[in-house]
Amino acid sequence: PLIARISSAALAHNLTIARKHAGKAKLISVIKANAYGHGLEFAAQALNQTDAYAVLSIEGAARLREQGIAHPILLLEGPFDAEDAASIAALDLMTVVHRTQQLDWLAAGKKPVPVFLKFNSGMNRLGFPLHELEAVLAQAKGNPGVRDLTLMTHFATADDALGVDWQWQRFMQLAAKANLPISAANSAAILRYPETHADWVRPGIMLYGSSPFADISAEQLGLKPVMTLESAIIAVQDIKPGQGVGYGLNFMAGDAMRIGVVACGYADGYPRHAPTGTPVLVGGDKTRTLGRVSMDMLAVDLSGLPEAGVGSSVVLWGEGLPVDEVARAAGTLSYELLCALAPRVTVVRR
């Protein structure tokens, strides 16, 4: 009974929201990690009004080209070896470059490729040191494997109170002098910091109907859920006060109650660490999970839901129950829940 329904209309709608906020900037729709669990080729087709796509691997880019997708495609971590560098040219890709060795690989190529030079403005993950910007830029401009340079950075705190100014100002002090296109804004910056939009923005999680902010819901942002994970009640148990539920019996009933057993567990991608009280919809009514999530099942509270029983529909997240709300209750992020959808789950894309 477990099905993940994925909506192309919702993807297209969320792209429109990103476009509205981006202003004159071009959109690079991030569809890495199998489009955050939604299906790479499906998402690319649904987002075909974007200006470009971003993926992680050569393999992902090749799959898009095989589907006849001619949009610019950005390789987000650049080539991992010389063979990748050759494939970038062969597949007509754009690539991020964040270390000198990647420039050396590109120099050996048969034709130049568009390059996004990535600089570390404070996240301390990928990127050349900011103070080396002029030297790196000179090296790139003299590289026969490089053309159409863009300067790039990534924000660490665009989604929280610290904001982006501490990175943006440092980056722009040097980047502005280069007079080249710039890409910096992720979903949170697209929605909250228009001054960072520059030439290319990179919407990611917002495309899938999730809010990048803890204090603003996806609905408030006008976003629609793309994935709805649905199942059903497959058994009902009546338990007495003092009886427990599930492995470890870490939920104990204080009163007599009805519980429903749902066909969904951590082998399907539902978080095992989701505690008692994680929200769930049964027959359209909000209730809570009880006890520990099992490999193939979880328990829900049917108290106050007398009409619920075997066969009743269950929404784990999606329409009517934002994935952000479930993720927050489970102490994680919507990104993890969406990406963790297991291969054994039946997926219906339309």
Side-chain angles (χ1 to χ4, degrees):
L2 186 62
I3 297 175
R5 302 189 187 278
I6 300 180
S7 168
S8 61
L11 276 165
H13 169 85
N14 296 337
L15 180 68
T16 299
I17 298 296
R19 177 82 68 187
K20 175 183 175 182
H21 284 272
K24 295 180 180 180
K26 294 181 180 180
L27 272 59
I28 304 175
S29 293
V30 180
I31 53 174
K32 63 179 181 177
N34 196 31
Y36 292 39
H38 293 72
L40 178 68
E41 292 92 342
F42 176 83
Q45 293 291 350
L47 297 168
N48 64 6
Q49 294 303 305
T50 191
D51 299 295
Y53 300 104
V55 298
L56 188 71
S57 68
I58 289 289
E59 293 75 15
R63 283 167 55 188
L64 295 179
R65 290 290 186 242
E66 288 167 3
Q67 292 294 313
I69 291 173
H71 287 63
I73 301 173
L74 176 66
L75 201 63
L76 280 171
E77 291 182 10
F80 294 106
D81 53 33
E83 184 178 351
D84 276 359
S87 296
I88 288 168
L91 292 168
D92 193 23
L93 307 180
M94 308 187 296
T95 185
V96 168
V97 166
H98 58 85
R99 57 191 175 99
T100 301
Q101 189 177 27
Q102 293 174 318
L103 287 173
D104 295 338
W105 291 332
L106 292 175
K110 295 182 180 180
K111 68 175 184 178
V113 300
V115 165
F116 283 57
L117 285 175
K118 188 168 189 177
F119 290 90
N120 174 22
S121 59
M123 191 169 187
N124 296 318
R125 205 170 59 171
L126 296 181
F128 295 101
L130 259 183
H131 68 268
E132 295 181 6
L133 189 146
E134 288 188 18
V136 170
L137 189 55
Q139 184 180 1
K141 285 181 175 179
N143 190 316
V146 172
R147 66 177 175 87
D148 299 337
L149 286 168
T150 297
L151 303 183
M152 178 182 181
T153 196
H154 193 59
F155 295 130
T157 55
D159 57 343
D160 64 32
L162 191 55
V164 301
D165 197 58
W166 65 279
Q167 284 183 265
W168 180 243
Q169 294 302 326
R170 293 181 61 224
F171 177 68
M172 288 304 293
Q173 282 175 7
L174 295 170
K177 300 174 184 178
N179 195 31
L180 288 170
I182 287 170
S183 177
N186 55 7
S187 289
I190 291 168
L191 293 165
R192 185 169 279 177
Y193 301 107
E195 69 274 17
T196 69
H197 291 174
D199 302 280
W200 291 97
V201 297
R202 307 189 301 272
I205 194 63
M206 69 179 298
L207 297 177
Y208 307 98
S210 175
S211 171
F213 308 115
D215 58 341
I216 304 176
S217 71
E219 184 178 14
Q220 287 174 305
L221 294 170
L223 302 172
K224 294 183 178 180
V226 176
M227 179 192 295
T228 298
L229 186 61
E230 302 176 359
S231 189
I233 303 289
I234 58 171
V236 173
Q237 300 289 345
D238 293 296
I239 61 175
K240 299 176 182 179
Q243 290 186 322
V245 176
Y247 286 117
L249 302 180
N250 63 358
F251 172 80
M252 304 296 290
D255 300 294
M257 60 189 303
R258 293 172 72 236
I259 66 166
V261 179
V262 181
C264 181
Y266 60 77
D268 301 299
Y270 196 87
R272 183 181 181 275
H273 55 272
T276 291
T278 300
V280 62
L281 295 183
V282 175
D285 294 315
K286 184 176 287 189
T287 183
R288 58 176 179 153
T289 63
L290 299 174
R292 189 174 296 166
V293 175
S294 300
M295 182 180 290
D296 311 302
M297 293 172 279
L298 56 85
V300 296
D301 188 355
L302 299 183
S303 302
L305 300 176
E307 302 300 318
V310 173
S312 292
S313 66
V314 176
V315 172
L316 287 311
W317 64 68
E319 291 187 21
L321 181 62
V323 65
D324 300 314
E325 190 175 334
V326 178
R328 189 160 46 248
T332 186
L333 299 171
S334 59
Y335 302 73
E336 182 179 11
L337 299 189
L338 298 173
C339 289
L341 188 72
R344 76 178 193 176
V345 177
T346 299
V347 178
V348 177
R349 299 182 175 95
R350 58 182 60 161

